Amino acid sequence: MKIIVWLTDSTWPACVDAAADQPDAQLVLLHVIDPDSVEAAEAARAGLLGRGIPATAAYAHQTLVEAQTALLDAAEKRLDRPARRLALTGRVEREVVTACADADLLVLARDGDHARLGPRSLGRATRFVLDHAPCRVLLVWPDEPPSLATLPAPPPPPPDGGPAGGGPPGPRSPPPPPGPPPPRRSG
């Protein structure tokens, strides 16, 4: 069994721990650098120090590559067994989906709001990967899951008595039978 473990800066320990429970699997530790991060770092530097400073995008990229290597090192150490490492740069969600082409399982963590249950517990890239992964997916909470008390209340029924939540309409009542034509106005 081949398992891809998608590592992000804030959720990697939970993903590694979930994958460690599969002792006979071939594990691949995956981290992706988003090129927009390099541009953002360069733009922040220019905004703080002025645009006349020479560009340092190569330095910013090298710093991210070093951080990526450190993250992969930490993940492999926590895993406490050898794993293949896959260090990529590109559109994160697309790179993760592509890396899963020959995988049996992808392990990833919720990366959004951890305070309550619901769709906001998933970031944009994570939602894309969940919707497009070509393999089975194990989605883990990176910390203690919120209680069921955080589940939103169901929507109230609509005023017309139709189904609650905007679902498909119930059966329609037949149209009223035709009555006498309206009186004509003379004038």
Side-chain angles (χ1 to χ4, degrees):
M1 175 182 239
K2 180 178 178 182
I3 300 175
I4 304 284
V5 184
W6 179 19
L7 308 175
T8 64
D9 295 337
S10 61
T11 64
W12 69 268
C15 294
V16 168
D17 292 348
D21 291 342
Q22 304 296 321
D24 298 329
Q26 172 197 2
L27 298 180
V28 178
L29 302 174
L30 168 66
H31 183 268
V32 183
I33 295 173
D34 186 345
D36 290 343
S37 299
V38 176
E39 290 179 27
E42 186 60 23
R45 183 180 171 279
L48 290 172
L49 303 175
R51 299 196 188 282
I53 306 274
T56 58
Y59 175 75
H61 185 263
Q62 182 58 36
T63 301
L64 290 173
V65 167
E66 290 169 5
Q68 180 181 56
T69 300
L71 178 64
L72 289 165
D73 289 344
E76 193 168 7
K77 182 177 180 182
R78 184 178 184 105
L79 187 60
D80 197 29
R81 73 179 207 228
R84 189 170 145 232
R85 296 159 71 128
L86 191 53
L88 303 173
T89 299
R91 284 281 302 265
V92 175
E93 63 274 16
R94 300 253 174 208
E95 294 294 335
V96 172
V97 169
T98 301
C100 293
D102 63 342
D104 298 299
L105 179 68
L106 169 65
V107 178
L108 70 160
R110 294 178 181 271
D111 59 348
D113 180 2
H114 296 184
R116 64 188 54 82
L117 299 170
R120 290 196 173 109
S121 67
L122 301 174
R124 180 191 56 79
T126 303
R127 168 57 64 194
F128 183 93
V129 170
L130 279 172
D131 289 344
H132 296 89
C135 61
R136 292 180 296 149
V137 175
L138 174 60
L139 178 64
V140 297
W141 281 97
D143 42 24
E144 196 62 34
S147 76
L148 284 175
T150 65
L151 192 66
D160 65 358
R172 287 187 168 189
S173 50
R184 293 185 126 180
R185 291 180 137 182
S186 58

